[in-house]
Amino acid sequence: MTNAVLGGAGLAAFLALCEAVPRLGIVSADFFPPTSRIADAIVAELGDEAFWTALGDTLTGWALGLAIAVTAGILAGVVVSVVPYLRQATASTIEFLRPIPSVALIPLAVLLFGTELRSVLLLVVYASFWQILIQTLYGVQDVDPVAEETARSYGLGTWARVRHVLWPTALPYVMTGVRLAASVALILAVTAELVIGAPGLGSRIAVAQTSGAVPEMYALVVVTGLLGLLINVGARTVERRALAWHQSVRGEVAV
């Protein structure tokens, strides 16, 4: 309760500061509108059907891209870790591709798919995939060798060892990767819409900026921030439920 009160007080102070700065003339209200004007613009956006369509487009690109990245990242991570010598054979390739910024692929996405949803998916999947893959690799490497040998000695097959030994150990790492990838996927989805012009909130932000609708632009930025907050809270909730048996979550609940 104390943390919630302090957090609310900090947010209220920040909003009051954003209201006062332009009204005191420290910053021109033409470029940084007061909080009240931004709030009015948010209410107006909520009443616009085109806003909800753009929000749906953004969430579609985010959800599809994240689902593809999670599936591909987990499968690739498990296969690379389980197949002998494959981890060593792919290490240099992974380390070469992983640092490439996703935004550097924007020209390629435009050339291949134009402003379609597939351009957004290309960037979202590429950025999110590495979060899942690396965490899965770390999780599999953390498997206790004694537990692995014990499972072999009891005659468990490959699938049974993956299910009962490898997966419970790797799951906390995988859930961390999913939580990170969820935020990264939203960032890339909005970035792709903003730069490429694909339908979504990013495209509406670009249109508002070029047309001089400054309060509306800030309102859309605030909406994307709130969307990111909701996604992060949702990812943490899913993580806690999926790891309810794990010591880290049980200890957190106990505290």
Side-chain angles (χ1 to χ4, degrees):
M1 181 63 68
T2 302
N3 291 337
V5 172
L6 291 176
L11 179 60
F14 176 74
L15 295 176
L17 179 64
C18 292
E19 178 75 20
V21 166
R23 294 193 180 279
L24 294 175
I26 300 175
V27 178
S28 175
D30 294 333
F31 305 108
F32 188 78
T35 304
S36 56
R37 289 181 60 189
I38 297 176
D40 292 339
I42 292 176
V43 173
E45 287 290 335
L46 295 177
D48 188 354
E49 184 178 351
F51 164 79
W52 295 104
T53 301
L55 178 61
D57 292 332
T58 298
L59 290 177
T60 299
W62 168 79
L64 288 177
L66 181 61
I68 295 172
V70 169
T71 303
I74 292 175
L75 291 177
V78 172
V79 171
V80 167
S81 299
V82 171
V83 177
Y85 306 111
L86 188 57
R87 178 70 179 94
Q88 292 79 0
T90 59
S92 58
T93 303
I94 292 175
E95 293 303 321
F96 170 73
L97 294 175
R98 183 167 63 93
I100 298 177
S102 299
V103 291
L105 300 179
I106 289 178
L108 175 62
V110 173
L111 287 175
L112 292 176
F113 306 118
T115 60
E116 298 179 8
L117 175 61
R118 289 181 292 178
S119 295
V120 178
L121 291 179
L122 174 63
L123 301 177
V124 170
V125 171
Y126 186 85
S128 304
F129 172 78
W130 301 111
Q131 308 289 334
I132 307 297
L133 176 63
I134 299 302
Q135 290 296 325
T136 302
L137 293 176
Y138 285 152
V140 174
Q141 290 176 358
D142 197 40
V143 173
D144 188 354
V146 175
E148 178 71 17
E149 290 302 324
T150 301
R152 289 179 182 273
S153 66
Y154 276 98
L156 271 68
T158 302
W159 169 246
R161 293 198 306 273
V162 169
R163 179 182 177 185
H164 298 291
V165 179
L166 185 151
W167 183 244
T169 303
L171 185 58
Y173 292 86
V174 172
M175 293 308 301
T176 298
V178 171
R179 176 164 50 83
L180 296 174
S183 299
V184 170
L186 178 64
I187 294 172
L188 266 297
V190 175
T191 300
E193 296 163 356
L194 185 63
V195 177
I196 298 175
L201 292 177
S203 178
R204 284 183 65 85
I205 292 174
V207 171
Q209 186 267 331
T210 54
S211 62
V214 178
E216 288 74 12
M217 181 192 71
Y218 279 100
L220 292 169
V221 170
V222 170
V223 169
T224 58
L226 293 175
L227 186 60
L229 177 62
L230 291 175
I231 287 175
N232 186 58
V233 171
R236 286 185 176 276
T237 302
V238 172
E239 182 180 17
R240 290 192 183 96
R241 290 184 178 275
L243 300 177
W245 53 270
H246 196 263
Q247 181 180 0
S248 60
V249 175
R250 291 171 62 189
E252 180 181 338
V253 173
V255 171

